[in-house]
Amino acid sequence: MDIKSGILMHRYEIGKLLGHGNFAKVYHGRNLVTGMSVAIKIIDKNKVLKAEMMTHIKREILVMRLVKHPNIVHLHEVLASKTKIYFILEYVKGGELFDRLTKGKLKEDSARTYFQQLISAVGFCHSRRVYHRDLKPENLLLDDEGNLKVSDFGLSALAETKRQDGLLHTCCGSPAYVAPEIIDQRGYDGAKADIWSCGVVLFVLLAGFLPFHDSNLIEMYRKIAGGRFRYPKSFPVEAKSLVSKMLDPNPMTRISIVDIVENPWFRTGLGCERSEPVMGERMVSGDLEETGYCNAFDIISLSRGLNLSGLFNDSGEDEKEVRLLLKQPACAIFTKLEEIGKILKMKVVKNNGVLVKMEGLTSGKNGDLVIDFEVLEILHDVHLVEAGLVGGDRLEFREVMSEHIRPALKSGV
Ligand code: ADE
């Protein structure tokens, strides 16, 4: 893309800078066809992508592309060039939630409403095994109706890379919202780490200042590790036990989302019915946006929009890869690949739980056709199958894929 011209891939006009961090810049954008406002997050690939993060990032991007929630900034599509990744995001007009705190704490009821929306978003993603791991004020935006929208959900692989690089903690990020087990670099449970950050957010909304703060960073870490903080006198009494359970430094005993949504302070104002869509725990996996992946148009735009080859393969080689999104369990896909191999008289070797190699067929001028299949779980029983040409003739690969393998995988063999 040519940022100077202000047009991204003939599709989006790039406008003013909305914000920037270590790895990314966010611009306002406009869809040239529909006129719709978007936020365009531009990430420098070389800075963040490491080979081991690829699978993680692909899975998360696909999940966020497919899942819709009213309190999560929607990822419309992902575009890529050789050096950059462009996340085309829902544009959220109302600024950051924390701008509302300039005059101090919020009223209890509005703090609770934002917190309910935050937990709804977090619970929804956790039920899909997507964790934020980097919840902080900049990621909590408000739309024009004053609803909370969490941004960067699903991009935790990028957040993680930041930490591996040591940059977030050493120079730029404040650990104020980070769970002690992350600071200690113990292995951690993404769900419990997010709950800690939500506890810090709730404290700030109700107190108007941070629970763990010290001008000396080491002392601040100590306070976080010990879960040492004090409530101001004005802090709503009924909210204290919830905050204390969220800011439990031991992730094993820290409260879960299921128990947060049972908490009487949390439930206030929701009515007693348990069918409120705001409740994170009600949204079990499987409740994808209805048109999310069933419709062929979306799958096409997904693969085109995601431009995964551009994203993950610097050679830009497109024809070497074929991708299919299948709503089938992995074992059914592996069984089908074995049966397809038998029919095509190709040797099928299962490598680990994810990879299958298919070899054989007529020798073209480039030798035997060798295809690698990677089966990635996107959601429960939704898999992305990536077929890559490893050896042999590209024309033969394309023909075998489109005539035999793709139709067989999509239906029965
Ligand atoms: N800043 C960062 N992300 C944004 C978004 N999605 N909308 C508006 N401003 C943002």
PDB file of all heavy atoms in Angstrom, residues 18-19 26-28 38-41 73-74 89-96 138-139 141 151-152, ligand 1:
ATOM      1  N   LEU A  18      -5.266   7.861  14.404  1.00  0.00           N
ATOM      2  CA  LEU A  18      -6.083   7.826  15.627  1.00  0.00           C
ATOM      3  C   LEU A  18      -5.228   7.509  16.842  1.00  0.00           C
ATOM      4  O   LEU A  18      -5.541   7.903  17.956  1.00  0.00           O
ATOM      5  CB  LEU A  18      -7.188   6.767  15.494  1.00  0.00           C
ATOM      6  CG  LEU A  18      -8.229   6.976  14.395  1.00  0.00           C
ATOM      7  CD1 LEU A  18      -9.136   5.759  14.276  1.00  0.00           C
ATOM      8  CD2 LEU A  18      -9.072   8.214  14.691  1.00  0.00           C
ATOM      9  N   GLY A  19      -4.169   6.756  16.617  1.00  0.00           N
ATOM     10  CA  GLY A  19      -3.319   6.411  17.763  1.00  0.00           C
ATOM     11  C   GLY A  19      -2.167   5.540  17.301  1.00  0.00           C
ATOM     12  O   GLY A  19      -2.176   5.019  16.192  1.00  0.00           O
ATOM     13  N   VAL A  26      -2.824   3.256  14.185  1.00  0.00           N
ATOM     14  CA  VAL A  26      -4.240   3.118  13.833  1.00  0.00           C
ATOM     15  C   VAL A  26      -4.698   4.406  13.151  1.00  0.00           C
ATOM     16  O   VAL A  26      -4.499   5.506  13.691  1.00  0.00           O
ATOM     17  CB  VAL A  26      -5.117   2.855  15.081  1.00  0.00           C
ATOM     18  CG1 VAL A  26      -6.566   2.599  14.667  1.00  0.00           C
ATOM     19  CG2 VAL A  26      -4.601   1.670  15.883  1.00  0.00           C
ATOM     20  N   TYR A  27      -5.265   4.235  11.959  1.00  0.00           N
ATOM     21  CA  TYR A  27      -5.770   5.378  11.195  1.00  0.00           C
ATOM     22  C   TYR A  27      -7.281   5.268  11.036  1.00  0.00           C
ATOM     23  O   TYR A  27      -7.836   4.166  11.024  1.00  0.00           O
ATOM     24  CB  TYR A  27      -5.159   5.399   9.780  1.00  0.00           C
ATOM     25  CG  TYR A  27      -3.685   5.679   9.744  1.00  0.00           C
ATOM     26  CD1 TYR A  27      -2.764   4.637   9.882  1.00  0.00           C
ATOM     27  CD2 TYR A  27      -3.205   6.970   9.555  1.00  0.00           C
ATOM     28  CE1 TYR A  27      -1.397   4.890   9.840  1.00  0.00           C
ATOM     29  CE2 TYR A  27      -1.838   7.229   9.508  1.00  0.00           C
ATOM     30  CZ  TYR A  27      -0.939   6.188   9.656  1.00  0.00           C
ATOM     31  OH  TYR A  27       0.403   6.438   9.602  1.00  0.00           O
ATOM     32  N   HIS A  28      -7.899   6.419  10.858  1.00  0.00           N
ATOM     33  CA  HIS A  28      -9.289   6.378  10.421  1.00  0.00           C
ATOM     34  C   HIS A  28      -9.266   6.005   8.941  1.00  0.00           C
ATOM     35  O   HIS A  28      -8.325   6.351   8.209  1.00  0.00           O
ATOM     36  CB  HIS A  28      -9.948   7.758  10.604  1.00  0.00           C
ATOM     37  CG  HIS A  28     -11.362   7.795  10.119  1.00  0.00           C
ATOM     38  ND1 HIS A  28     -11.713   8.204   8.858  1.00  0.00           N
ATOM     39  CD2 HIS A  28     -12.508   7.411  10.731  1.00  0.00           C
ATOM     40  CE1 HIS A  28     -13.029   8.080   8.716  1.00  0.00           C
ATOM     41  NE2 HIS A  28     -13.536   7.607   9.844  1.00  0.00           N
ATOM     42  N   VAL A  38     -14.020   3.084   8.975  1.00  0.00           N
ATOM     43  CA  VAL A  38     -13.349   1.946   9.619  1.00  0.00           C
ATOM     44  C   VAL A  38     -12.117   2.481  10.350  1.00  0.00           C
ATOM     45  O   VAL A  38     -11.737   3.642  10.149  1.00  0.00           O
ATOM     46  CB  VAL A  38     -12.893   0.865   8.593  1.00  0.00           C
ATOM     47  CG1 VAL A  38     -14.067   0.167   7.942  1.00  0.00           C
ATOM     48  CG2 VAL A  38     -11.950   1.454   7.537  1.00  0.00           C
ATOM     49  N   ALA A  39     -11.560   1.640  11.207  1.00  0.00           N
ATOM     50  CA  ALA A  39     -10.251   1.964  11.785  1.00  0.00           C
ATOM     51  C   ALA A  39      -9.267   0.996  11.138  1.00  0.00           C
ATOM     52  O   ALA A  39      -9.572  -0.194  11.011  1.00  0.00           O
ATOM     53  CB  ALA A  39     -10.276   1.782  13.290  1.00  0.00           C
ATOM     54  N   ILE A  40      -8.151   1.502  10.692  1.00  0.00           N
ATOM     55  CA  ILE A  40      -7.158   0.636  10.030  1.00  0.00           C
ATOM     56  C   ILE A  40      -5.917   0.557  10.909  1.00  0.00           C
ATOM     57  O   ILE A  40      -5.252   1.562  11.146  1.00  0.00           O
ATOM     58  CB  ILE A  40      -6.793   1.169   8.629  1.00  0.00           C
ATOM     59  CG1 ILE A  40      -8.067   1.304   7.780  1.00  0.00           C
ATOM     60  CG2 ILE A  40      -5.775   0.257   7.948  1.00  0.00           C
ATOM     61  CD1 ILE A  40      -7.822   1.862   6.384  1.00  0.00           C
ATOM     62  N   LYS A  41      -5.684  -0.648  11.389  1.00  0.00           N
ATOM     63  CA  LYS A  41      -4.519  -0.845  12.254  1.00  0.00           C
ATOM     64  C   LYS A  41      -3.406  -1.430  11.398  1.00  0.00           C
ATOM     65  O   LYS A  41      -3.585  -2.484  10.792  1.00  0.00           O
ATOM     66  CB  LYS A  41      -4.904  -1.804  13.380  1.00  0.00           C
ATOM     67  CG  LYS A  41      -3.820  -2.043  14.365  1.00  0.00           C
ATOM     68  CD  LYS A  41      -4.367  -2.769  15.572  1.00  0.00           C
ATOM     69  CE  LYS A  41      -3.421  -2.585  16.723  1.00  0.00           C
ATOM     70  NZ  LYS A  41      -4.053  -2.624  17.999  1.00  0.00           N
ATOM     71  N   VAL A  73     -14.859  -4.868  19.390  1.00  0.00           N
ATOM     72  CA  VAL A  73     -14.588  -4.180  18.123  1.00  0.00           C
ATOM     73  C   VAL A  73     -14.447  -5.249  17.047  1.00  0.00           C
ATOM     74  O   VAL A  73     -13.603  -6.150  17.152  1.00  0.00           O
ATOM     75  CB  VAL A  73     -13.283  -3.343  18.219  1.00  0.00           C
ATOM     76  CG1 VAL A  73     -12.920  -2.773  16.856  1.00  0.00           C
ATOM     77  CG2 VAL A  73     -13.434  -2.226  19.245  1.00  0.00           C
ATOM     78  N   HIS A  74     -15.296  -5.161  16.043  1.00  0.00           N
ATOM     79  CA  HIS A  74     -15.322  -6.222  15.042  1.00  0.00           C
ATOM     80  C   HIS A  74     -14.159  -6.069  14.064  1.00  0.00           C
ATOM     81  O   HIS A  74     -13.821  -4.966  13.640  1.00  0.00           O
ATOM     82  CB  HIS A  74     -16.655  -6.183  14.297  1.00  0.00           C
ATOM     83  CG  HIS A  74     -16.815  -7.352  13.378  1.00  0.00           C
ATOM     84  ND1 HIS A  74     -16.674  -8.661  13.808  1.00  0.00           N
ATOM     85  CD2 HIS A  74     -17.076  -7.424  12.056  1.00  0.00           C
ATOM     86  CE1 HIS A  74     -16.849  -9.470  12.786  1.00  0.00           C
ATOM     87  NE2 HIS A  74     -17.095  -8.751  11.713  1.00  0.00           N
ATOM     88  N   LEU A  89     -10.853  -2.614  11.013  1.00  0.00           N
ATOM     89  CA  LEU A  89     -11.674  -2.774  12.219  1.00  0.00           C
ATOM     90  C   LEU A  89     -12.907  -1.878  12.194  1.00  0.00           C
ATOM     91  O   LEU A  89     -12.908  -0.832  11.525  1.00  0.00           O
ATOM     92  CB  LEU A  89     -10.843  -2.385  13.447  1.00  0.00           C
ATOM     93  CG  LEU A  89      -9.589  -3.206  13.713  1.00  0.00           C
ATOM     94  CD1 LEU A  89      -8.605  -2.409  14.563  1.00  0.00           C
ATOM     95  CD2 LEU A  89      -9.955  -4.520  14.407  1.00  0.00           C
ATOM     96  N   GLU A  90     -13.891  -2.296  12.952  1.00  0.00           N
ATOM     97  CA  GLU A  90     -15.044  -1.440  13.204  1.00  0.00           C
ATOM     98  C   GLU A  90     -14.524  -0.103  13.772  1.00  0.00           C
ATOM     99  O   GLU A  90     -13.666  -0.094  14.647  1.00  0.00           O
ATOM    100  CB  GLU A  90     -15.923  -2.151  14.232  1.00  0.00           C
ATOM    101  CG  GLU A  90     -17.087  -1.380  14.736  1.00  0.00           C
ATOM    102  CD  GLU A  90     -17.825  -2.129  15.856  1.00  0.00           C
ATOM    103  OE1 GLU A  90     -17.379  -3.228  16.263  1.00  0.00           O
ATOM    104  OE2 GLU A  90     -18.832  -1.615  16.313  1.00  0.00           O
ATOM    105  N   TYR A  91     -15.058   0.997  13.268  1.00  0.00           N
ATOM    106  CA  TYR A  91     -14.653   2.310  13.785  1.00  0.00           C
ATOM    107  C   TYR A  91     -15.522   2.652  14.988  1.00  0.00           C
ATOM    108  O   TYR A  91     -16.741   2.625  14.907  1.00  0.00           O
ATOM    109  CB  TYR A  91     -14.794   3.373  12.696  1.00  0.00           C
ATOM    110  CG  TYR A  91     -14.474   4.754  13.188  1.00  0.00           C
ATOM    111  CD1 TYR A  91     -13.204   5.058  13.668  1.00  0.00           C
ATOM    112  CD2 TYR A  91     -15.438   5.759  13.176  1.00  0.00           C
ATOM    113  CE1 TYR A  91     -12.902   6.329  14.125  1.00  0.00           C
ATOM    114  CE2 TYR A  91     -15.138   7.039  13.628  1.00  0.00           C
ATOM    115  CZ  TYR A  91     -13.867   7.298  14.106  1.00  0.00           C
ATOM    116  OH  TYR A  91     -13.577   8.555  14.575  1.00  0.00           O
ATOM    117  N   VAL A  92     -14.873   2.945  16.106  1.00  0.00           N
ATOM    118  CA  VAL A  92     -15.615   3.249  17.336  1.00  0.00           C
ATOM    119  C   VAL A  92     -15.428   4.730  17.648  1.00  0.00           C
ATOM    120  O   VAL A  92     -14.312   5.184  17.892  1.00  0.00           O
ATOM    121  CB  VAL A  92     -15.115   2.367  18.503  1.00  0.00           C
ATOM    122  CG1 VAL A  92     -15.971   2.587  19.729  1.00  0.00           C
ATOM    123  CG2 VAL A  92     -15.154   0.888  18.107  1.00  0.00           C
ATOM    124  N   LYS A  93     -16.561   5.427  17.634  1.00  0.00           N
ATOM    125  CA  LYS A  93     -16.513   6.890  17.608  1.00  0.00           C
ATOM    126  C   LYS A  93     -16.249   7.608  18.926  1.00  0.00           C
ATOM    127  O   LYS A  93     -15.737   8.715  18.943  1.00  0.00           O
ATOM    128  CB  LYS A  93     -17.901   7.373  17.142  1.00  0.00           C
ATOM    129  CG  LYS A  93     -17.958   7.850  15.736  1.00  0.00           C
ATOM    130  CD  LYS A  93     -19.180   8.757  15.580  1.00  0.00           C
ATOM    131  CE  LYS A  93     -19.491   8.947  14.116  1.00  0.00           C
ATOM    132  NZ  LYS A  93     -20.879   8.687  13.800  1.00  0.00           N
ATOM    133  N   GLY A  94     -16.653   6.989  20.033  1.00  0.00           N
ATOM    134  CA  GLY A  94     -16.768   7.773  21.283  1.00  0.00           C
ATOM    135  C   GLY A  94     -15.511   7.941  22.119  1.00  0.00           C
ATOM    136  O   GLY A  94     -15.596   8.430  23.245  1.00  0.00           O
ATOM    137  N   GLY A  95     -14.362   7.501  21.612  1.00  0.00           N
ATOM    138  CA  GLY A  95     -13.121   7.671  22.379  1.00  0.00           C
ATOM    139  C   GLY A  95     -12.920   6.580  23.422  1.00  0.00           C
ATOM    140  O   GLY A  95     -13.664   5.597  23.466  1.00  0.00           O
ATOM    141  N   GLU A  96     -11.907   6.794  24.267  1.00  0.00           N
ATOM    142  CA  GLU A  96     -11.570   5.775  25.267  1.00  0.00           C
ATOM    143  C   GLU A  96     -12.433   5.924  26.516  1.00  0.00           C
ATOM    144  O   GLU A  96     -12.715   7.047  26.948  1.00  0.00           O
ATOM    145  CB  GLU A  96     -10.092   5.894  25.659  1.00  0.00           C
ATOM    146  CG  GLU A  96      -9.160   5.430  24.557  1.00  0.00           C
ATOM    147  CD  GLU A  96      -7.694   5.597  24.912  1.00  0.00           C
ATOM    148  OE1 GLU A  96      -7.382   5.817  26.099  1.00  0.00           O
ATOM    149  OE2 GLU A  96      -6.870   5.518  23.985  1.00  0.00           O
ATOM    150  N   GLU A 138      -6.404   1.646  26.941  1.00  0.00           N
ATOM    151  CA  GLU A 138      -6.423   1.995  25.506  1.00  0.00           C
ATOM    152  C   GLU A 138      -7.294   1.038  24.703  1.00  0.00           C
ATOM    153  O   GLU A 138      -7.704   1.351  23.593  1.00  0.00           O
ATOM    154  CB  GLU A 138      -5.019   1.935  24.890  1.00  0.00           C
ATOM    155  CG  GLU A 138      -4.004   2.843  25.495  1.00  0.00           C
ATOM    156  CD  GLU A 138      -3.208   2.158  26.597  1.00  0.00           C
ATOM    157  OE1 GLU A 138      -3.793   1.916  27.681  1.00  0.00           O
ATOM    158  OE2 GLU A 138      -2.024   1.881  26.382  1.00  0.00           O
ATOM    159  N   ASN A 139      -7.522  -0.151  25.255  1.00  0.00           N
ATOM    160  CA  ASN A 139      -8.316  -1.139  24.518  1.00  0.00           C
ATOM    161  C   ASN A 139      -9.793  -1.079  24.855  1.00  0.00           C
ATOM    162  O   ASN A 139     -10.567  -1.915  24.396  1.00  0.00           O
ATOM    163  CB  ASN A 139      -7.801  -2.553  24.817  1.00  0.00           C
ATOM    164  CG  ASN A 139      -6.438  -2.798  24.206  1.00  0.00           C
ATOM    165  OD1 ASN A 139      -6.139  -2.244  23.158  1.00  0.00           O
ATOM    166  ND2 ASN A 139      -5.612  -3.582  24.861  1.00  0.00           N
ATOM    167  N   LEU A 141     -12.958   1.091  24.415  1.00  0.00           N
ATOM    168  CA  LEU A 141     -13.479   2.247  23.680  1.00  0.00           C
ATOM    169  C   LEU A 141     -14.978   2.368  23.912  1.00  0.00           C
ATOM    170  O   LEU A 141     -15.632   1.416  24.357  1.00  0.00           O
ATOM    171  CB  LEU A 141     -13.200   2.065  22.175  1.00  0.00           C
ATOM    172  CG  LEU A 141     -11.741   1.804  21.783  1.00  0.00           C
ATOM    173  CD1 LEU A 141     -11.634   1.496  20.298  1.00  0.00           C
ATOM    174  CD2 LEU A 141     -10.864   2.989  22.140  1.00  0.00           C
ATOM    175  N   SER A 151     -11.244  -3.556  22.190  1.00  0.00           N
ATOM    176  CA  SER A 151     -10.499  -3.744  20.940  1.00  0.00           C
ATOM    177  C   SER A 151      -9.322  -4.696  21.169  1.00  0.00           C
ATOM    178  O   SER A 151      -8.921  -4.954  22.305  1.00  0.00           O
ATOM    179  CB  SER A 151     -10.017  -2.407  20.386  1.00  0.00           C
ATOM    180  OG  SER A 151      -8.883  -1.982  21.073  1.00  0.00           O
ATOM    181  N   ASP A 152      -8.820  -5.211  20.067  1.00  0.00           N
ATOM    182  CA  ASP A 152      -7.652  -6.102  20.061  1.00  0.00           C
ATOM    183  C   ASP A 152      -7.911  -7.472  20.677  1.00  0.00           C
ATOM    184  O   ASP A 152      -6.968  -8.183  20.995  1.00  0.00           O
ATOM    185  CB  ASP A 152      -6.432  -5.464  20.758  1.00  0.00           C
ATOM    186  CG  ASP A 152      -5.789  -4.421  19.882  1.00  0.00           C
ATOM    187  OD1 ASP A 152      -6.272  -4.213  18.757  1.00  0.00           O
ATOM    188  OD2 ASP A 152      -4.810  -3.811  20.313  1.00  0.00           O
TER     189      ASP A 152
HETATM  190  N1  ADE B   1      -8.425   3.551  18.123  1.00  0.00           N
HETATM  191  C1  ADE B   1      -7.974   2.295  18.157  1.00  0.00           C
HETATM  192  N2  ADE B   1      -8.857   1.465  17.633  1.00  0.00           N
HETATM  193  C2  ADE B   1      -9.917   2.223  17.256  1.00  0.00           C
HETATM  194  C3  ADE B   1     -11.176   1.911  16.665  1.00  0.00           C
HETATM  195  N3  ADE B   1     -11.497   0.665  16.342  1.00  0.00           N
HETATM  196  N4  ADE B   1     -12.019   2.930  16.437  1.00  0.00           N
HETATM  197  C4  ADE B   1     -11.665   4.191  16.776  1.00  0.00           C
HETATM  198  N5  ADE B   1     -10.509   4.526  17.335  1.00  0.00           N
HETATM  199  C5  ADE B   1      -9.645   3.543  17.581  1.00  0.00           C
END
